[in-house]
Coordinates of all heavy atoms in Angstrom, one line a residue:
E13 N 5.7 -12.0 9.2 CA 5.0 -13.2 9.8 C 4.3 -14.0 8.8 O 4.2 -15.3 8.9 CB 3.9 -12.7 10.8 CG 4.2 -13.0 12.3 CD 3.1 -12.6 13.1 OE1 2.1 -13.3 13.3 OE2 3.1 -11.4 13.6
I14 N 3.8 -13.4 7.7 CA 3.2 -14.1 6.6 C 3.9 -13.6 5.3 O 4.3 -12.4 5.2 CB 1.7 -14.1 6.5 CG1 1.2 -12.7 6.2 CG2 1.0 -14.7 7.7 CD1 -0.2 -12.7 5.8
P15 N 4.1 -14.5 4.4 CA 4.9 -14.2 3.2 C 4.1 -13.3 2.2 O 2.9 -13.3 2.1 CB 5.2 -15.5 2.5 CG 4.1 -16.4 3.0 CD 3.7 -15.9 4.3
A16 N 4.8 -12.5 1.5 CA 4.3 -11.7 0.3 C 5.4 -11.5 -0.6 O 6.6 -11.6 -0.2 CB 3.7 -10.4 0.8
A17 N 5.1 -11.1 -1.8 CA 6.1 -10.8 -2.9 C 6.5 -9.4 -2.7 O 6.0 -8.5 -3.3 CB 5.5 -11.1 -4.3
K18 N 7.5 -9.2 -1.8 CA 7.9 -7.8 -1.4 C 8.9 -7.3 -2.5 O 9.8 -8.0 -2.9 CB 8.6 -7.8 -0.1 CG 7.7 -7.9 1.1 CD 8.4 -7.8 2.4 CE 7.4 -8.0 3.6 NZ 8.0 -8.3 4.8
L19 N 8.7 -6.1 -2.9 CA 9.5 -5.5 -4.0 C 10.4 -4.4 -3.4 O 11.4 -4.0 -4.0 CB 8.6 -4.9 -5.1 CG 7.7 -6.0 -5.8 CD1 6.8 -5.3 -6.7 CD2 8.5 -7.0 -6.5
Y20 N 10.0 -3.8 -2.2 CA 10.7 -2.7 -1.6 C 10.3 -2.7 -0.1 O 9.1 -2.9 0.2 CB 10.3 -1.4 -2.3 CG 11.0 -0.2 -1.6 CD1 12.2 0.2 -1.9 CD2 10.2 0.5 -0.6 CE1 12.8 1.3 -1.2 CE2 10.8 1.6 0.0 CZ 12.1 2.0 -0.3 OH 12.6 3.1 0.4
E21 N 11.2 -2.3 0.7 CA 10.9 -2.1 2.1 C 11.9 -1.1 2.7 O 13.1 -1.2 2.3 CB 10.7 -3.3 2.9 CG 11.8 -4.3 3.1 CD 11.4 -5.5 3.9 OE1 10.7 -5.4 4.9 OE2 11.7 -6.6 3.4
D22 N 11.5 -0.4 3.6 CA 12.4 0.5 4.4 C 11.8 0.6 5.8 O 10.9 -0.2 6.2 CB 12.7 1.8 3.7 CG 11.4 2.7 3.6 OD1 10.5 2.5 4.4 OD2 11.4 3.5 2.7
E23 N 12.3 1.5 6.6 CA 11.9 1.5 8.0 C 10.4 2.0 8.2 O 9.8 1.7 9.2 CB 12.8 2.4 8.8 CG 12.8 3.9 8.5 CD 13.5 4.2 7.2 OE1 14.2 3.4 6.6 OE2 13.4 5.4 6.7
E24 N 9.9 2.6 7.2 CA 8.5 3.1 7.3 C 7.5 2.4 6.5 O 6.3 2.5 6.8 CB 8.5 4.6 6.8 CG 9.3 5.5 7.8 CD 9.2 7.0 7.3 OE1 9.1 7.3 6.1 OE2 9.4 7.8 8.2
M25 N 7.9 1.8 5.4 CA 6.9 1.2 4.5 C 7.3 -0.1 3.8 O 8.6 -0.3 3.7 CB 6.4 2.2 3.5 CG 7.3 2.4 2.3 SD 6.4 3.1 0.9 CE 7.7 3.6 -0.2
V26 N 6.4 -0.9 3.4 CA 6.7 -2.1 2.6 C 5.8 -2.0 1.3 O 4.7 -1.4 1.3 CB 6.4 -3.4 3.3 CG1 7.4 -3.6 4.5 CG2 5.0 -3.5 3.7
V27 N 6.4 -2.5 0.2 CA 5.7 -2.5 -1.1 C 5.7 -4.0 -1.5 O 6.8 -4.6 -1.6 CB 6.3 -1.6 -2.1 CG1 5.6 -1.7 -3.4 CG2 6.4 -0.2 -1.6
F28 N 4.5 -4.5 -1.8 CA 4.4 -6.0 -2.3 C 3.3 -6.1 -3.3 O 2.4 -5.3 -3.4 CB 4.2 -6.9 -1.0 CG 3.1 -6.5 -0.1 CD1 1.8 -7.0 -0.4 CD2 3.2 -5.6 0.9 CE1 0.7 -6.7 0.4 CE2 2.1 -5.3 1.7 CZ 0.9 -5.8 1.5
R29 N 3.4 -7.3 -4.0 CA 2.4 -7.5 -5.0 C 1.0 -7.9 -4.4 O 1.0 -8.6 -3.4 CB 2.8 -8.7 -5.9 CG 4.0 -8.3 -6.8 CD 4.2 -9.2 -8.0 NE 5.5 -9.0 -8.5 CZ 5.8 -8.0 -9.4 NH1 4.8 -7.1 -9.8 NH2 7.0 -7.9 -9.9
D30 N 0.0 -7.3 -5.0 CA -1.4 -7.6 -4.6 C -1.6 -9.1 -5.0 O -1.3 -9.6 -6.0 CB -2.4 -6.8 -5.3 CG -3.8 -6.8 -4.6 OD1 -4.4 -7.9 -4.8 OD2 -4.2 -5.8 -3.9
L31 N -2.3 -9.8 -4.1 CA -2.6 -11.3 -4.3 C -3.5 -11.5 -5.5 O -3.5 -12.5 -6.1 CB -3.3 -11.8 -3.0 CG -3.2 -13.3 -2.7 CD1 -1.7 -13.8 -2.7 CD2 -3.8 -13.6 -1.4
H32 N -4.4 -10.5 -5.7 CA -5.4 -10.6 -6.8 C -5.2 -9.4 -7.7 O -6.0 -8.5 -7.7 CB -6.8 -10.7 -6.3 CG -7.0 -11.8 -5.3 ND1 -6.9 -13.1 -5.7 CD2 -7.2 -11.8 -4.0 CE1 -7.2 -13.9 -4.7 NE2 -7.3 -13.2 -3.6
P33 N -4.2 -9.4 -8.6 CA -3.9 -8.2 -9.4 C -5.0 -7.8 -10.3 O -5.6 -8.6 -11.0 CB -2.6 -8.6 -10.1 CG -2.5 -10.1 -10.0 CD -3.3 -10.5 -8.8
Q34 N -5.2 -6.5 -10.3 CA -6.3 -5.9 -11.2 C -5.7 -5.2 -12.4 O -6.4 -4.5 -13.1 CB -7.1 -4.9 -10.4 CG -7.7 -5.4 -9.1 CD -8.8 -6.5 -9.4 OE1 -9.6 -6.3 -10.3 NE2 -8.6 -7.6 -8.7
A35 N -4.4 -5.3 -12.6 CA -3.7 -4.7 -13.7 C -2.4 -5.6 -13.9 O -2.0 -6.3 -13.0 CB -3.3 -3.3 -13.5
K36 N -1.7 -5.3 -15.0 CA -0.4 -6.1 -15.2 C 0.5 -5.9 -14.1 O 1.2 -6.9 -13.6 CB 0.2 -5.6 -16.5 CG 1.2 -6.5 -17.1 CD 1.5 -6.2 -18.5 CE 2.8 -6.9 -19.0 NZ 3.3 -6.4 -20.2
V37 N 0.7 -4.7 -13.5 CA 1.4 -4.5 -12.3 C 0.4 -3.9 -11.3 O -0.3 -2.9 -11.5 CB 2.6 -3.5 -12.5 CG1 3.2 -3.2 -11.1 CG2 3.6 -4.0 -13.5
H38 N 0.3 -4.6 -10.2 CA -0.6 -4.2 -9.1 C 0.1 -4.4 -7.8 O 0.3 -5.6 -7.4 CB -1.9 -4.9 -9.1 CG -2.9 -4.5 -8.1 ND1 -4.2 -5.0 -8.0 CD2 -2.9 -3.5 -7.1 CE1 -4.9 -4.4 -7.0 NE2 -4.1 -3.5 -6.4
V39 N 0.6 -3.4 -7.2 CA 1.3 -3.5 -5.9 C 0.7 -2.6 -4.9 O -0.1 -1.7 -5.2 CB 2.8 -3.1 -6.1 CG1 3.5 -4.0 -7.1 CG2 3.0 -1.6 -6.4
L40 N 0.9 -3.0 -3.6 CA 0.4 -2.2 -2.5 C 1.5 -1.6 -1.7 O 2.5 -2.3 -1.5 CB -0.4 -3.2 -1.6 CG -1.6 -3.9 -2.2 CD1 -2.1 -5.0 -1.3 CD2 -2.7 -2.9 -2.6
A41 N 1.4 -0.3 -1.4 CA 2.4 0.4 -0.6 C 1.7 0.5 0.8 O 0.6 1.2 0.9 CB 2.8 1.7 -1.2
V42 N 2.3 0.0 1.8 CA 1.7 -0.1 3.1 C 2.7 0.5 4.2 O 3.8 0.1 4.3 CB 1.4 -1.6 3.4 CG1 0.9 -1.8 4.8 CG2 0.5 -2.2 2.4

Side-chain angles (χ1 to χ4, degrees):
E13 250 182 88
I14 65 167
K18 285 184 187 164
L19 302 175
Y20 173 84
E21 60 184 314
D22 63 26
E23 66 286 351
E24 292 182 332
M25 75 158 168
V26 295
V27 178
F28 54 89
R29 293 196 191 281
D30 195 290
L31 204 53
H32 303 293
Q34 305 296 312
K36 198 165 169 195
V37 177
H38 183 177
V39 302
L40 301 171
V42 176

